[in-house]
Amino acid sequence: MEHAPLNPIEEKLVKSDGGGLPKNMIAVAVQVDADGICRHSGLVIGVKGKYELFHYTGKEVKLEPLPIGEWYLHKELEILNADESVGFLHHCQMILDSANPQYGFVFDGSYYNAQGHYVSTNPFGEYTTCVGFCINTITGFLFNVERYFQVEDWGAENLPDWYFDAFMAKNSHLNREQVQPHIRRITPAEYTTSAYLEQLPIRKEKVDELIEDVKAAIVAKRN
Amino acid sequence: MKKDKIEFRIKTDSKGTDIHLDNMSVEAAKALLVLTGALTRIAELTGKSGDTKISITEGSACIALEAPPEEITEIETEIPVVASNKSTKKDWVEPLRDIQELICKNGLTFTANIIRDENETPVINYFKQKKIFKVARKKRHKPEFGIRFFEGKLLENGGQNPNIHIEIGAETFTVSCTEEQALKVNAFLFKTVRVSAWEKKRKGQRSSYTFCDAYGTPEVFNDFKPFIEKNLTQEGTEPLNEIHYKLRDLLEAKKFAVAKKFIRLFCYEKVDMGRLRAILIITKAFKEEPTLKDMLLNVAEILKAKTKKDIV
């Protein structure tokens, strides 16, 4: 039976352990469950045919060989040339040595600089999610642009009402007024969509234009 | 989870007698041990899923490695590479060579198959070749570009196509340059000059050199020369790491003029994207620094030309 041709969005979304990958690549990656829901995010870096996953598990930062059979899909970043992957891997190695994030839905425009150090204009420390961690990593690799995501376009509407109070209860040493404006959620699907965009910083309205197609492609690839 | 497998069978012994697991000759038992050892090592190489199994079953003497399809594909890919003696991976060559030596010995007869959805692909012929599997030597890393440091007597300078001539011992090197650069080093005529140049290697001919920079005092020259010579032979992320720390030290010490000279070494179209981006991101906080600004814009322009993308 002949398969229908893939649409361009589906075509560029690749099962990470399916083989046949380009030797060099820098890609955003999402882990997808059996229902096609994105559960986790990372970055897949290929250097001369060796592939690694860089991610924040919620407990620790890991740079590890690309896992097999764990349903990662990836999309190469449009904004970077794949042959810059060795430089990107080096950037990840620097972050691996320095980063020490704690889990929290905090998006405040922070990033990891070339030394792998966490840079933020806020005083309350290194809180992030798996998505935020990847955004902060990509941001630190940029030279001419200050931000990968315009995080202020996003809000806390995708978080349950109780989230902020629960976060503050767990991190009672933090100042509520300082933290609250930066509580947001950028989902793994939104993060995946960003890889299709070339204009930086990534704006929510541009993500919204594409996200349903990207979600459909994720479900199609998972089945 | 769906599984495929690679399967080896010991069919008959040297007397032509069929092999059975419950009644094996010593030579067949030894062969089974070799196959078990080799497949176990291969399972350790591919078994990332934790879902890899080794089985020994009756039906002649059959030993199989069962694993998810991706892992069997990996094995199927490695076998011809090893068999053509092109593999640089010792971990793969050794167990496959153990199997080859066993299969090539006179006596026992074997089958070897990759099995997917009951389709069998024989792989025995790879192991029957007489040339013993060897680890291929890794090709020496050749940098895409060269930087040469010259310290010698400046002989003459100028010409229609401006260049400078540097005498080092019995050899004289010609370095092409701009008129401006020729004028700059003219003050050293018949004296010792220290110059860096980008090297273009030409097959069957002497390399040609393009002027990069001149160094008034030996300190910077003697610092950069060994650094660059080592850096250009390093592979992977190592050279980027060294450039990173070198530049970071210079920037933290606010030695911007030296940092500029260091960056200039990489302001060349043949320099790889990894080094160019490494320079840009470590200097990001200093991109408005007057001493460095133009040099960094040059690096960004070179990177842009190479990536064929706007530099984000």
Side-chain angles (χ1 to χ4, degrees):
Chain A
M1 191 185 97
E2 271 190 41
H3 291 281
L6 297 174
N7 69 49
I9 287 182
E10 208 175 320
E11 201 175 356
K12 288 181 174 179
L13 189 71
V14 177
K15 186 167 181 285
S16 303
D17 61 7
L21 303 182
K23 279 191 179 317
N24 293 333
M25 55 179 249
I26 310 165
V28 308
V30 274
Q31 193 176 27
V32 186
D33 70 13
D35 298 322
I37 308 294
C38 302
R39 294 294 178 196
H40 180 52
S41 301
L43 289 152
V44 173
I45 306 128
V47 177
K48 292 185 176 173
K50 192 178 166 209
Y51 304 96
E52 296 193 70
L53 176 71
F54 187 55
H55 61 142
Y56 171 47
T57 64
K59 286 186 178 153
E60 59 180 333
V61 175
K62 280 180 153 182
L63 181 63
E64 58 184 337
L66 183 65
I68 306 278
E70 292 191 12
W71 274 104
Y72 278 94
L73 301 176
H74 68 255
K75 161 72 181 74
E76 286 186 67
L77 279 166
E78 293 290 338
I79 53 163
L80 296 172
N81 185 305
D83 289 337
E84 289 197 62
S85 62
V86 66
F88 196 82
L89 179 64
H90 176 247
H91 180 55
C92 296
Q93 288 168 346
M94 301 298 287
I95 296 169
L96 181 70
D97 288 343
S98 299
N100 185 24
Q102 297 179 68
Y103 199 80
F105 284 88
V106 175
F107 291 82
D108 61 348
S110 53
Y111 63 95
Y112 292 104
N113 70 10
Q115 298 180 49
H117 296 161
Y118 180 75
V119 180
S120 170
T121 51
N122 289 304
F124 49 78
E126 192 177 344
Y127 288 87
T128 193
T129 63
C130 58
V131 169
F133 178 78
C134 295
I135 292 173
N136 291 355
T137 297
I138 297 169
T139 302
F141 198 65
L142 307 176
F143 177 68
N144 275 334
V145 182
E146 296 306 315
R147 296 279 199 94
Y148 180 52
F149 262 73
Q150 187 73 37
V151 294
E152 292 78 4
D153 286 356
W154 276 261
E157 58 277 6
N158 284 331
L159 289 167
D161 294 339
W162 48 262
Y163 177 76
F164 179 59
D165 287 335
F167 176 81
M168 290 310 300
K170 206 173 163 193
N171 300 283
S172 52
H173 60 289
L174 300 181
N175 178 318
R176 286 183 76 90
E177 283 68 40
Q178 280 179 348
V179 175
Q180 190 157 32
H182 304 293
I183 296 289
R184 313 173 202 278
R185 182 165 191 226
I186 299 176
T187 65
E190 287 173 319
Y191 162 68
T192 310
T193 307
S194 74
Y196 289 89
L197 301 172
E198 290 180 55
Q199 189 70 38
L200 296 188
I202 300 293
R203 304 302 305 252
K204 188 167 188 302
E205 56 172 353
K206 295 288 177 194
V207 170
D208 288 346
E209 284 171 18
L210 270 187
I211 193 161
E212 290 311 318
D213 291 342
V214 174
K215 281 182 178 171
I218 289 169
V219 170
K221 289 274 171 169
R222 183 64 174 90
N223 291 326
Chain B
M1 183 187 277
K2 178 178 172 295
K3 280 190 183 175
D4 295 335
K5 61 182 170 180
I6 178 165
E7 180 185 275
F8 290 86
R9 280 175 197 270
I10 315 170
K11 301 286 284 183
T12 58
D13 66 15
S14 50
K15 291 174 192 154
T17 314
D18 288 347
I19 304 281
H20 296 284
L21 270 185
D22 57 358
N23 185 22
M24 282 195 292
S25 62
V26 172
E27 70 174 333
K30 276 184 174 172
L32 191 63
L33 276 176
V34 170
L35 288 171
T36 313
L39 281 188
T40 308
R41 287 178 71 180
I42 292 168
E44 282 170 346
L45 294 172
T46 60
K48 300 175 195 94
S49 65
D51 209 12
T52 305
K53 299 280 180 287
I54 292 197
S55 64
I56 300 172
T57 50
E58 175 63 20
S60 308
C62 174
I63 173 155
L65 184 160
E66 272 187 69
E70 304 85 19
E71 293 179 22
I72 297 298
T73 304
E74 191 180 353
I75 297 170
E76 199 176 11
T77 313
E78 292 290 343
I79 290 172
V81 180
V82 170
S84 58
N85 281 332
K86 284 183 183 155
S87 175
T88 55
K89 300 173 190 165
K90 191 170 168 238
D91 290 350
W92 277 94
V93 173
E94 286 178 349
L96 292 175
R97 181 168 55 210
D98 289 348
I99 298 174
Q100 180 201 21
E101 285 177 341
L102 180 71
I103 288 174
C104 283
K105 254 193 230 166
N106 284 328
L108 301 165
T109 59
F110 297 87
T111 62
N113 292 296
I114 303 268
I115 301 170
R116 282 204 176 86
D117 301 327
E118 290 167 15
N119 292 324
E120 292 192 3
T121 311
V123 289
I124 189 82
N125 285 340
Y126 290 115
F127 297 98
K128 281 186 170 170
Q129 72 165 52
K130 296 282 181 248
K131 219 173 175 184
I132 197 135
F133 295 171
K134 278 187 187 155
V135 183
R137 253 196 260 163
K138 277 187 188 162
K139 279 186 191 158
R140 263 193 72 217
H141 173 66
K142 280 190 195 151
E144 290 170 35
F145 68 105
I147 301 176
R148 185 89 185 251
F149 287 79
F150 297 108
E151 184 174 21
K153 188 173 169 186
L154 180 67
L155 286 186
E156 55 197 289
N157 174 351
Q160 207 141 43
N161 294 318
N163 52 47
I164 58 171
H165 301 276
I166 304 164
E167 184 188 68
I168 304 172
E171 258 192 294
T172 304
F173 295 90
T174 303
V175 177
S176 66
C177 60
T178 63
E179 279 186 18
E180 198 186 353
Q181 289 162 339
L183 281 171
K184 194 177 160 191
V185 292
N186 201 28
F188 294 93
L189 194 60
F190 305 121
K191 292 181 199 157
T192 298
V193 72
R194 292 173 202 88
V195 160
S196 59
W198 293 298
E199 180 178 12
K200 198 180 271 176
K201 289 179 178 128
R202 297 176 299 181
K203 221 178 177 180
Q205 294 178 56
R206 289 185 72 178
S207 294
S208 69
Y209 299 99
T210 306
F211 184 92
C212 168
D213 206 355
Y215 307 87
T217 57
E219 287 77 19
V220 174
F221 181 89
N222 291 340
D223 178 29
F224 287 179
K225 185 174 186 277
F227 180 93
I228 291 290
E229 284 169 356
K230 184 177 166 205
N231 194 264
L232 295 190
T233 60
Q234 290 172 321
E235 285 189 76
T237 56
E238 206 182 350
L240 310 184
N241 210 35
E242 299 225 340
I243 288 172
H244 174 95
Y245 284 107
K246 178 85 185 165
L247 260 178
R248 199 186 78 174
D249 289 348
L250 292 172
L251 296 171
E252 281 183 356
K254 296 197 165 37
K255 292 181 176 174
F256 297 129
V258 181
K260 183 182 178 182
K261 285 181 103 58
F262 182 75
I263 296 166
R264 181 180 280 128
L265 293 165
F266 301 94
C267 268
Y268 182 53
E269 64 197 23
K270 302 276 183 207
V271 174
D272 57 283
M273 297 182 203
R275 286 182 173 87
L276 294 171
R277 175 74 74 167
I279 289 167
L280 289 181
I281 63 169
I282 185 67
T283 54
K284 187 174 177 180
F286 300 87
K287 64 181 174 185
E288 295 305 323
E289 162 62 39
T291 317
L292 299 175
K293 194 175 177 180
D294 290 347
M295 192 60 75
L296 293 175
L297 283 175
N298 276 344
V299 174
E301 278 304 309
I302 295 168
L303 182 59
K304 182 180 172 181
K306 291 183 90 95
T307 61
K308 299 181 179 73
K309 287 176 189 283
D310 280 336
I311 299 305
V312 288

